[in-house]
Amino acid sequence: MLTGLILVFGVLIAAFQPAPVTPDKPRNIILVIVDGMGLAHIALAEYLHRPPSPIQRMEIAGLQKTHSSSHLETDSGASGTAMSCGVKTFNAAIGVTHDSLPVPTILELARDSGMKTGFVVTSSVVHATPACFYAHVPSRGSYEEIARQLVNSDIDVFVGGGEKYFTHRHTDRMDLLMALKAKNYEIIRSHDPHGKFRLNRVSKENRIACFTAFEDPVRATMGRTYLPWMVQVAIDALEKRADKGYFMMVEASQVDWASHANDVDWLVLEMQDTYDMLEELVTRVQKEENTLLIVTSDHECGYISLKGKRSPRVEFNSKVHSSQMVPVFATGPGAEAFLGIYDNTAIFEKMRKLLGL
């Protein structure tokens, strides 16, 4: 009888055990910036994508204001700096205040706290948005100086084009690939057919510098397909190195370029590439329950609108950036912090607070 009572008591205790809950704060943060994406860009992708889309599966939606300290229509340097550093600055600035003073980035704070860091982009690695997370220069066009600062950033994994800024330099005779190797980076060229497989096999003691093109990566219309799978293998690389979590930035860079060009076919394929990447990413982070995923934009480009009866027809109304607010989507621990309307500088503050930096 006593044995029976013990068994019943055990069953009752098990029945009243609280269910596992998602932690209030994330261990990891992935920030996805879809450059140039506004609400009409999302509407276009939603109409063309089979539901439920990855955006629909995210828990929280908000809006951010994108103006810079110098213009109502921001550029990627000023908006990237706002999100990475929490300060408003002038257009073309990278990681500096409106007085051109350097200010720490969220990636640098994460690195200094012992977290692992990385980024994956479909631009060159020295382009404005990725540069805002590790460099500090008054002009986004200082590509060779930005490349030098990337070498010294100690980022664990980075993926994108722009190898020429490390080897074919005009401002000095430095061989920055050799400098990367001296800092324990394994250099991978994913345009080499073996690059995809080698990235997965890199020892966790080595950092990874993966160049997807000598200059800018090609358009999605020309067969570029690396973003969805490279994001996944970059996360794998960070996870096997991370004792204290990781911070990763992903940029779907060429949505902006297609919008500037007013090229509908290019834009459709860039948005599809973005959604393919987000499908895998949302599924992954919602299973893990310890990673906060944030998806937003730095600004809208093209003032685009949609028309048509049965299928969307894109109408471009300019070839430049607009001052429209852009959406912020979030899922995972801490996602509720991104509900509401706020300045783009709040993206930095919310991430910093959630990571305890």
Side-chain angles (χ1 to χ4, degrees):
M1 183 176 178
L2 181 58
T3 302
L5 288 173
I6 292 173
L7 286 172
V8 171
F9 188 60
V11 169
L12 289 173
I13 291 175
F16 286 96
Q17 287 292 320
V21 296
T22 301
D24 293 330
K25 292 189 176 182
R27 181 176 187 268
N28 318 304
I29 287 183
I30 302 171
L31 173 64
V32 175
I33 299 173
V34 187
D35 200 311
M37 181 185 72
L39 285 171
H41 295 73
I42 295 172
L44 172 64
E46 290 289 326
Y47 283 124
L48 298 177
H49 193 85
R50 180 180 297 175
S53 76
I55 292 295
Q56 292 175 38
R57 291 161 55 201
M58 299 187 75
E59 302 160 353
I60 296 294
L63 290 169
Q64 55 140 312
K65 295 177 279 188
T66 64
H67 64 279
S68 69
S69 68
S70 60
H71 294 75
L72 194 58
E73 292 89 5
T74 188
D75 85 316
S76 294
S79 56
T81 298
M83 290 186 282
S84 66
C85 303
V87 298
K88 291 284 188 182
T89 192
F90 55 91
N91 282 8
I94 300 293
V96 298
T97 67
H98 68 279
D99 296 322
S100 297
L101 299 175
V103 59
T105 75
I106 187 70
L107 187 148
E108 291 169 331
L109 294 175
R111 175 202 64 197
D112 293 345
S113 74
M115 298 178 71
K116 299 303 180 182
T117 59
F119 68 80
V120 178
V121 297
T122 53
S123 66
S124 74
V125 296
V126 297
H127 215 253
T129 301
C132 288
F133 287 82
Y134 63 82
H136 308 275
V137 293
S139 173
R140 59 183 287 178
S142 303
Y143 292 136
E144 293 188 5
E145 171 59 20
I146 291 170
R148 188 189 66 79
Q149 293 190 28
L150 177 53
V151 172
N152 295 323
S153 69
D154 292 335
I155 291 173
D156 294 279
V157 179
F158 66 83
V159 179
E163 182 181 340
K164 75 172 187 178
Y165 299 107
F166 296 76
T167 56
H168 291 60
R169 296 171 61 82
H170 301 287
T171 55
D172 57 47
R173 295 184 178 181
M174 297 177 67
D175 183 342
L176 293 185
L177 291 188
M178 292 301 296
L180 284 168
K181 290 177 181 177
K183 294 181 74 80
N184 206 32
Y185 280 90
E186 180 160 349
I187 310 299
I188 296 172
R189 294 170 176 85
S190 76
H191 45 284
D192 175 337
H194 300 293
K196 175 177 179 179
F197 304 104
R198 289 180 55 217
L199 185 61
N200 288 313
R201 298 205 303 266
V202 175
S203 165
K204 71 176 183 179
E205 282 72 38
N206 292 340
R207 300 187 178 107
I208 300 170
C210 180
F211 293 102
T212 59
F214 185 70
E215 298 189 54
D216 286 330
V218 299
R219 305 176 177 192
T221 52
M222 298 174 66
R224 192 202 72 242
T225 60
Y226 71 76
L227 184 63
W229 60 262
M230 195 65 89
V231 167
Q232 294 299 316
V233 295
I235 293 173
D236 290 341
L238 288 174
E239 283 187 337
K240 74 178 183 179
R241 292 160 169 75
D243 297 323
K244 297 182 179 180
Y246 65 83
F247 174 85
M248 187 169 84
M249 191 279 292
V250 178
E251 187 195 27
S253 317
Q254 296 193 33
V255 170
D256 182 58
W257 303 0
S259 300
H260 277 297
N262 286 186
D263 188 319
V264 174
D265 292 338
W266 187 8
L267 176 60
V268 167
L269 285 183
E270 293 296 342
M271 288 302 300
Q272 184 60 59
D273 190 46
T274 299
Y275 265 49
D276 289 344
M277 176 267 294
L278 290 175
E279 282 280 10
E280 296 184 28
L281 201 46
V282 171
T283 297
R284 179 172 186 150
V285 301
Q286 289 183 344
K287 286 180 179 177
E288 291 176 351
E289 297 186 344
N290 62 357
T291 301
L292 171 63
L293 172 63
I294 308 158
V295 179
T296 187
S297 176
D298 49 358
H299 52 72
E300 194 272 348
C301 182
Y303 288 86
I304 77 169
S305 56
L306 299 184
K307 296 186 176 180
K309 292 184 178 180
R310 295 186 178 276
S311 60
R313 177 167 56 85
V314 176
E315 184 172 284
F316 293 98
N317 296 291
S318 85
K319 291 192 173 185
V320 297
H321 299 170
S322 76
S323 57
Q324 297 173 8
M325 289 190 290
V326 296
V328 184
F329 304 97
T331 188
E336 62 279 0
F338 294 87
L339 185 66
I341 299 176
Y342 37 83
D343 269 323
N344 50 7
T345 53
I347 302 289
F348 167 85
E349 294 296 345
K350 294 173 189 295
M351 293 190 298
R352 183 185 61 81
K353 184 176 180 180
L354 286 167
L355 290 176
L357 302 175

